[in-house]
Amino acid sequence: MEAFSQWDFPISNHSNLQCFLKCTTPTVEKRMKTCNGEAKKDLNEGFKLSELWQCFTEWSAYGVAVPILLNNGDRVIQYYSPSLSALQLYTTKPFPSSSDDHQINLKFRGRDKMNKTASNNNSSCLGSNATTRDGDDSCHKMTTRKCGYLYYQYNETTSPYDRVPFNEKISELSKQYSGLVDLHSKDLSPYSWMAIAWYPVYQVPGATNVKELSACFLTYHPLSSLSLGSQNIRLESEKVDGKRSGMSMREEICLPPFAMITYKMFGTLWISPDTSDFDFVLCQRNAASYWLKQLQFHHHDFNFMSRQFQNSASCPP
């Protein structure tokens, strides 16, 4: 048991699901000077997208470690690999992109329908217009008025086992769309979001014949400062030689999921009867469905998991 002492395993009134969500919540860390003539940063200043992607660097390389308490009392560390499932970036003002970026956006306009047809060939849906068909200017104007200016969207359709790690995909896409790293959360409308697919890769120690550990997750996260409240911001004094210092502060901006859907979440391993997890899973699934419908976004991973959802043991009969 000593090998697991550093891990925060679920206790009787907490579930493995809650532990998973805690471990996989993206967090942006920012350090602030509070003296030496430097002004303290505004807690609501938000973050650049490049700062957000930094938290995925280690996760993309090694996976996210999630401590799990098995039904027989054994403990394992399950590692989950994150991949970019979908993303939409709406800006509050027209993005001052280069002419090359603009031409790329126009090039992909209207390819949503074509790429959905090509999904059987393991293609990815890339585009600059999530809700309109070619020539439908009225629908485009309505989307702009409601959501903002759509800078970029992504919808992954390849097999989960053929996908590249999260950071590698962001690096690949940002070569054509610089806003993926240059945009700031304050520049994004509340309709900006991303979806992350989490698939298990291995456990330590290895667990055999535990089908519950094959559970996969799809989580939806906000990307705009306008979507975040004070509860998403934590401020702590940094420790220097084991002591707290008032000279420097660390700010953490958390981006917990606002929606989620699960796949292969069998049995009672993930949900504790002492919690409201059962209702939470259903509410999170409904939230994802509502979100996608209001944006008229045909999310490939959600559609796949949704078809399997009714067959899962986590659903009511």
Side-chain angles (χ1 to χ4, degrees), residues 258-261 279-293 302 309-310:
F258 62 83
M260 175 190 69
I261 189 170
D279 292 334
F280 174 79
V281 170
L282 294 179
C283 289
Q284 289 280 288
R285 189 268 178 191
N286 291 337
S289 178
Y290 176 77
W291 178 259
L292 296 171
K293 284 180 180 178
F302 176 84
F309 192 81
Q310 296 301 326

PDB file of all heavy atoms in Angstrom, residues 258-261 279-293 302 309-310:
ATOM      1  N   PHE A 258     -18.658  21.011 -18.621  1.00  0.00           N
ATOM      2  CA  PHE A 258     -20.050  21.415 -18.448  1.00  0.00           C
ATOM      3  C   PHE A 258     -20.994  20.349 -19.005  1.00  0.00           C
ATOM      4  O   PHE A 258     -22.205  20.430 -18.840  1.00  0.00           O
ATOM      5  CB  PHE A 258     -20.321  22.761 -19.128  1.00  0.00           C
ATOM      6  CG  PHE A 258     -20.115  22.768 -20.625  1.00  0.00           C
ATOM      7  CD1 PHE A 258     -21.109  22.332 -21.478  1.00  0.00           C
ATOM      8  CD2 PHE A 258     -18.927  23.227 -21.171  1.00  0.00           C
ATOM      9  CE1 PHE A 258     -20.924  22.335 -22.859  1.00  0.00           C
ATOM     10  CE2 PHE A 258     -18.736  23.249 -22.542  1.00  0.00           C
ATOM     11  CZ  PHE A 258     -19.736  22.795 -23.390  1.00  0.00           C
ATOM     12  N   ALA A 259     -20.422  19.330 -19.657  1.00  0.00           N
ATOM     13  CA  ALA A 259     -21.211  18.227 -20.203  1.00  0.00           C
ATOM     14  C   ALA A 259     -20.289  17.028 -20.388  1.00  0.00           C
ATOM     15  O   ALA A 259     -19.062  17.178 -20.454  1.00  0.00           O
ATOM     16  CB  ALA A 259     -21.868  18.613 -21.520  1.00  0.00           C
ATOM     17  N   MET A 260     -20.893  15.851 -20.477  1.00  0.00           N
ATOM     18  CA  MET A 260     -20.087  14.632 -20.577  1.00  0.00           C
ATOM     19  C   MET A 260     -20.967  13.482 -21.051  1.00  0.00           C
ATOM     20  O   MET A 260     -22.183  13.477 -20.844  1.00  0.00           O
ATOM     21  CB  MET A 260     -19.487  14.283 -19.203  1.00  0.00           C
ATOM     22  CG  MET A 260     -18.720  12.975 -19.148  1.00  0.00           C
ATOM     23  SD  MET A 260     -18.300  12.492 -17.438  1.00  0.00           S
ATOM     24  CE  MET A 260     -19.950  12.084 -16.809  1.00  0.00           C
ATOM     25  N   ILE A 261     -20.343  12.515 -21.721  1.00  0.00           N
ATOM     26  CA  ILE A 261     -21.027  11.266 -22.027  1.00  0.00           C
ATOM     27  C   ILE A 261     -20.009  10.145 -21.861  1.00  0.00           C
ATOM     28  O   ILE A 261     -18.803  10.361 -22.060  1.00  0.00           O
ATOM     29  CB  ILE A 261     -21.634  11.274 -23.447  1.00  0.00           C
ATOM     30  CG1 ILE A 261     -22.519  10.037 -23.645  1.00  0.00           C
ATOM     31  CG2 ILE A 261     -20.556  11.366 -24.513  1.00  0.00           C
ATOM     32  CD1 ILE A 261     -23.348  10.084 -24.916  1.00  0.00           C
ATOM     33  N   ASP A 279     -27.705  10.348 -11.372  1.00  0.00           N
ATOM     34  CA  ASP A 279     -28.423  11.475 -11.961  1.00  0.00           C
ATOM     35  C   ASP A 279     -27.457  12.420 -12.664  1.00  0.00           C
ATOM     36  O   ASP A 279     -27.795  13.017 -13.696  1.00  0.00           O
ATOM     37  CB  ASP A 279     -29.199  12.244 -10.882  1.00  0.00           C
ATOM     38  CG  ASP A 279     -30.354  11.432 -10.308  1.00  0.00           C
ATOM     39  OD1 ASP A 279     -30.851  10.536 -11.032  1.00  0.00           O
ATOM     40  OD2 ASP A 279     -30.740  11.684  -9.158  1.00  0.00           O
ATOM     41  N   PHE A 280     -26.252  12.549 -12.105  1.00  0.00           N
ATOM     42  CA  PHE A 280     -25.254  13.439 -12.694  1.00  0.00           C
ATOM     43  C   PHE A 280     -24.886  12.984 -14.102  1.00  0.00           C
ATOM     44  O   PHE A 280     -24.792  13.806 -15.029  1.00  0.00           O
ATOM     45  CB  PHE A 280     -24.009  13.464 -11.805  1.00  0.00           C
ATOM     46  CG  PHE A 280     -22.846  14.227 -12.375  1.00  0.00           C
ATOM     47  CD1 PHE A 280     -22.812  15.611 -12.320  1.00  0.00           C
ATOM     48  CD2 PHE A 280     -21.784  13.559 -12.973  1.00  0.00           C
ATOM     49  CE1 PHE A 280     -21.742  16.319 -12.849  1.00  0.00           C
ATOM     50  CE2 PHE A 280     -20.712  14.250 -13.494  1.00  0.00           C
ATOM     51  CZ  PHE A 280     -20.694  15.639 -13.444  1.00  0.00           C
ATOM     52  N   VAL A 281     -24.683  11.682 -14.291  1.00  0.00           N
ATOM     53  CA  VAL A 281     -24.317  11.156 -15.607  1.00  0.00           C
ATOM     54  C   VAL A 281     -25.414  11.439 -16.625  1.00  0.00           C
ATOM     55  O   VAL A 281     -25.147  11.857 -17.762  1.00  0.00           O
ATOM     56  CB  VAL A 281     -24.034   9.643 -15.512  1.00  0.00           C
ATOM     57  CG1 VAL A 281     -23.902   9.025 -16.907  1.00  0.00           C
ATOM     58  CG2 VAL A 281     -22.756   9.393 -14.719  1.00  0.00           C
ATOM     59  N   LEU A 282     -26.666  11.235 -16.236  1.00  0.00           N
ATOM     60  CA  LEU A 282     -27.773  11.489 -17.143  1.00  0.00           C
ATOM     61  C   LEU A 282     -27.881  12.977 -17.479  1.00  0.00           C
ATOM     62  O   LEU A 282     -28.104  13.354 -18.635  1.00  0.00           O
ATOM     63  CB  LEU A 282     -29.082  10.991 -16.533  1.00  0.00           C
ATOM     64  CG  LEU A 282     -29.210   9.484 -16.333  1.00  0.00           C
ATOM     65  CD1 LEU A 282     -30.548   9.136 -15.708  1.00  0.00           C
ATOM     66  CD2 LEU A 282     -29.049   8.753 -17.661  1.00  0.00           C
ATOM     67  N   CYS A 283     -27.723  13.835 -16.470  1.00  0.00           N
ATOM     68  CA  CYS A 283     -27.805  15.283 -16.693  1.00  0.00           C
ATOM     69  C   CYS A 283     -26.675  15.766 -17.600  1.00  0.00           C
ATOM     70  O   CYS A 283     -26.888  16.622 -18.467  1.00  0.00           O
ATOM     71  CB  CYS A 283     -27.765  16.034 -15.360  1.00  0.00           C
ATOM     72  SG  CYS A 283     -29.262  15.866 -14.365  1.00  0.00           S
ATOM     73  N   GLN A 284     -25.481  15.216 -17.391  1.00  0.00           N
ATOM     74  CA  GLN A 284     -24.347  15.614 -18.206  1.00  0.00           C
ATOM     75  C   GLN A 284     -24.528  15.172 -19.664  1.00  0.00           C
ATOM     76  O   GLN A 284     -24.172  15.900 -20.589  1.00  0.00           O
ATOM     77  CB  GLN A 284     -23.059  15.003 -17.644  1.00  0.00           C
ATOM     78  CG  GLN A 284     -22.591  15.612 -16.339  1.00  0.00           C
ATOM     79  CD  GLN A 284     -21.861  16.926 -16.577  1.00  0.00           C
ATOM     80  OE1 GLN A 284     -20.743  16.960 -17.079  1.00  0.00           O
ATOM     81  NE2 GLN A 284     -22.502  18.016 -16.207  1.00  0.00           N
ATOM     82  N   ARG A 285     -25.093  14.003 -19.856  1.00  0.00           N
ATOM     83  CA  ARG A 285     -25.358  13.533 -21.212  1.00  0.00           C
ATOM     84  C   ARG A 285     -26.387  14.425 -21.882  1.00  0.00           C
ATOM     85  O   ARG A 285     -26.246  14.810 -23.050  1.00  0.00           O
ATOM     86  CB  ARG A 285     -25.830  12.086 -21.162  1.00  0.00           C
ATOM     87  CG  ARG A 285     -25.929  11.419 -22.528  1.00  0.00           C
ATOM     88  CD  ARG A 285     -27.317  11.570 -23.103  1.00  0.00           C
ATOM     89  NE  ARG A 285     -27.403  10.971 -24.435  1.00  0.00           N
ATOM     90  CZ  ARG A 285     -28.430  11.145 -25.245  1.00  0.00           C
ATOM     91  NH1 ARG A 285     -29.464  11.903 -24.874  1.00  0.00           N
ATOM     92  NH2 ARG A 285     -28.453  10.594 -26.450  1.00  0.00           N
ATOM     93  N   ASN A 286     -27.445  14.789 -21.168  1.00  0.00           N
ATOM     94  CA  ASN A 286     -28.476  15.661 -21.720  1.00  0.00           C
ATOM     95  C   ASN A 286     -27.927  17.056 -22.018  1.00  0.00           C
ATOM     96  O   ASN A 286     -28.321  17.693 -22.999  1.00  0.00           O
ATOM     97  CB  ASN A 286     -29.659  15.759 -20.759  1.00  0.00           C
ATOM     98  CG  ASN A 286     -30.435  14.457 -20.659  1.00  0.00           C
ATOM     99  OD1 ASN A 286     -30.397  13.626 -21.569  1.00  0.00           O
ATOM    100  ND2 ASN A 286     -31.136  14.260 -19.549  1.00  0.00           N
ATOM    101  N   ALA A 287     -27.015  17.521 -21.163  1.00  0.00           N
ATOM    102  CA  ALA A 287     -26.401  18.829 -21.384  1.00  0.00           C
ATOM    103  C   ALA A 287     -25.593  18.834 -22.670  1.00  0.00           C
ATOM    104  O   ALA A 287     -25.608  19.802 -23.436  1.00  0.00           O
ATOM    105  CB  ALA A 287     -25.515  19.197 -20.203  1.00  0.00           C
ATOM    106  N   ALA A 288     -24.883  17.737 -22.934  1.00  0.00           N
ATOM    107  CA  ALA A 288     -24.108  17.637 -24.168  1.00  0.00           C
ATOM    108  C   ALA A 288     -25.029  17.639 -25.388  1.00  0.00           C
ATOM    109  O   ALA A 288     -24.767  18.320 -26.387  1.00  0.00           O
ATOM    110  CB  ALA A 288     -23.258  16.367 -24.146  1.00  0.00           C
ATOM    111  N   SER A 289     -26.119  16.892 -25.291  1.00  0.00           N
ATOM    112  CA  SER A 289     -27.069  16.826 -26.395  1.00  0.00           C
ATOM    113  C   SER A 289     -27.676  18.189 -26.684  1.00  0.00           C
ATOM    114  O   SER A 289     -27.772  18.621 -27.848  1.00  0.00           O
ATOM    115  CB  SER A 289     -28.181  15.816 -26.068  1.00  0.00           C
ATOM    116  OG  SER A 289     -29.144  15.766 -27.104  1.00  0.00           O
ATOM    117  N   TYR A 290     -28.079  18.890 -25.635  1.00  0.00           N
ATOM    118  CA  TYR A 290     -28.677  20.223 -25.804  1.00  0.00           C
ATOM    119  C   TYR A 290     -27.678  21.202 -26.392  1.00  0.00           C
ATOM    120  O   TYR A 290     -28.005  21.996 -27.283  1.00  0.00           O
ATOM    121  CB  TYR A 290     -29.189  20.737 -24.456  1.00  0.00           C
ATOM    122  CG  TYR A 290     -29.722  22.148 -24.525  1.00  0.00           C
ATOM    123  CD1 TYR A 290     -30.980  22.421 -25.056  1.00  0.00           C
ATOM    124  CD2 TYR A 290     -28.945  23.220 -24.083  1.00  0.00           C
ATOM    125  CE1 TYR A 290     -31.462  23.713 -25.136  1.00  0.00           C
ATOM    126  CE2 TYR A 290     -29.421  24.529 -24.166  1.00  0.00           C
ATOM    127  CZ  TYR A 290     -30.676  24.768 -24.684  1.00  0.00           C
ATOM    128  OH  TYR A 290     -31.150  26.051 -24.776  1.00  0.00           O
ATOM    129  N   TRP A 291     -26.437  21.157 -25.914  1.00  0.00           N
ATOM    130  CA  TRP A 291     -25.406  22.071 -26.393  1.00  0.00           C
ATOM    131  C   TRP A 291     -25.175  21.897 -27.896  1.00  0.00           C
ATOM    132  O   TRP A 291     -25.103  22.871 -28.649  1.00  0.00           O
ATOM    133  CB  TRP A 291     -24.119  21.833 -25.617  1.00  0.00           C
ATOM    134  CG  TRP A 291     -22.966  22.693 -26.046  1.00  0.00           C
ATOM    135  CD1 TRP A 291     -21.931  22.337 -26.851  1.00  0.00           C
ATOM    136  CD2 TRP A 291     -22.744  24.062 -25.685  1.00  0.00           C
ATOM    137  NE1 TRP A 291     -21.069  23.396 -27.023  1.00  0.00           N
ATOM    138  CE2 TRP A 291     -21.553  24.464 -26.318  1.00  0.00           C
ATOM    139  CE3 TRP A 291     -23.443  24.971 -24.893  1.00  0.00           C
ATOM    140  CZ2 TRP A 291     -21.039  25.748 -26.181  1.00  0.00           C
ATOM    141  CZ3 TRP A 291     -22.931  26.260 -24.756  1.00  0.00           C
ATOM    142  CH2 TRP A 291     -21.745  26.634 -25.402  1.00  0.00           C
ATOM    143  N   LEU A 292     -25.048  20.664 -28.327  1.00  0.00           N
ATOM    144  CA  LEU A 292     -24.781  20.390 -29.734  1.00  0.00           C
ATOM    145  C   LEU A 292     -25.975  20.755 -30.615  1.00  0.00           C
ATOM    146  O   LEU A 292     -25.802  21.250 -31.737  1.00  0.00           O
ATOM    147  CB  LEU A 292     -24.426  18.917 -29.919  1.00  0.00           C
ATOM    148  CG  LEU A 292     -23.131  18.464 -29.221  1.00  0.00           C
ATOM    149  CD1 LEU A 292     -22.996  16.950 -29.281  1.00  0.00           C
ATOM    150  CD2 LEU A 292     -21.914  19.137 -29.851  1.00  0.00           C
ATOM    151  N   LYS A 293     -27.183  20.541 -30.109  1.00  0.00           N
ATOM    152  CA  LYS A 293     -28.372  20.874 -30.898  1.00  0.00           C
ATOM    153  C   LYS A 293     -28.501  22.375 -31.096  1.00  0.00           C
ATOM    154  O   LYS A 293     -28.844  22.829 -32.189  1.00  0.00           O
ATOM    155  CB  LYS A 293     -29.623  20.326 -30.200  1.00  0.00           C
ATOM    156  CG  LYS A 293     -29.800  18.828 -30.344  1.00  0.00           C
ATOM    157  CD  LYS A 293     -31.056  18.342 -29.642  1.00  0.00           C
ATOM    158  CE  LYS A 293     -31.218  16.834 -29.795  1.00  0.00           C
ATOM    159  NZ  LYS A 293     -32.422  16.337 -29.064  1.00  0.00           N
ATOM    160  N   PHE A 302     -19.818  12.080 -30.139  1.00  0.00           N
ATOM    161  CA  PHE A 302     -21.041  12.071 -29.331  1.00  0.00           C
ATOM    162  C   PHE A 302     -22.085  11.161 -29.960  1.00  0.00           C
ATOM    163  O   PHE A 302     -22.748  10.384 -29.256  1.00  0.00           O
ATOM    164  CB  PHE A 302     -21.605  13.477 -29.184  1.00  0.00           C
ATOM    165  CG  PHE A 302     -22.920  13.510 -28.452  1.00  0.00           C
ATOM    166  CD1 PHE A 302     -22.954  13.515 -27.065  1.00  0.00           C
ATOM    167  CD2 PHE A 302     -24.137  13.495 -29.145  1.00  0.00           C
ATOM    168  CE1 PHE A 302     -24.163  13.519 -26.376  1.00  0.00           C
ATOM    169  CE2 PHE A 302     -25.335  13.506 -28.467  1.00  0.00           C
ATOM    170  CZ  PHE A 302     -25.354  13.518 -27.077  1.00  0.00           C
ATOM    171  N   PHE A 309     -25.078   4.471 -25.550  1.00  0.00           N
ATOM    172  CA  PHE A 309     -25.444   4.892 -24.192  1.00  0.00           C
ATOM    173  C   PHE A 309     -26.623   4.091 -23.646  1.00  0.00           C
ATOM    174  O   PHE A 309     -26.628   3.685 -22.484  1.00  0.00           O
ATOM    175  CB  PHE A 309     -25.770   6.386 -24.196  1.00  0.00           C
ATOM    176  CG  PHE A 309     -25.875   6.995 -22.822  1.00  0.00           C
ATOM    177  CD1 PHE A 309     -24.730   7.367 -22.125  1.00  0.00           C
ATOM    178  CD2 PHE A 309     -27.107   7.214 -22.225  1.00  0.00           C
ATOM    179  CE1 PHE A 309     -24.817   7.936 -20.873  1.00  0.00           C
ATOM    180  CE2 PHE A 309     -27.197   7.781 -20.969  1.00  0.00           C
ATOM    181  CZ  PHE A 309     -26.046   8.143 -20.285  1.00  0.00           C
ATOM    182  N   GLN A 310     -27.635   3.863 -24.480  1.00  0.00           N
ATOM    183  CA  GLN A 310     -28.826   3.171 -24.022  1.00  0.00           C
ATOM    184  C   GLN A 310     -28.548   1.705 -23.684  1.00  0.00           C
ATOM    185  O   GLN A 310     -29.327   1.085 -22.969  1.00  0.00           O
ATOM    186  CB  GLN A 310     -29.924   3.268 -25.082  1.00  0.00           C
ATOM    187  CG  GLN A 310     -30.404   4.694 -25.335  1.00  0.00           C
ATOM    188  CD  GLN A 310     -30.958   5.353 -24.086  1.00  0.00           C
ATOM    189  OE1 GLN A 310     -31.561   4.680 -23.241  1.00  0.00           O
ATOM    190  NE2 GLN A 310     -30.770   6.648 -23.943  1.00  0.00           N
TER     191      GLN A 310
END
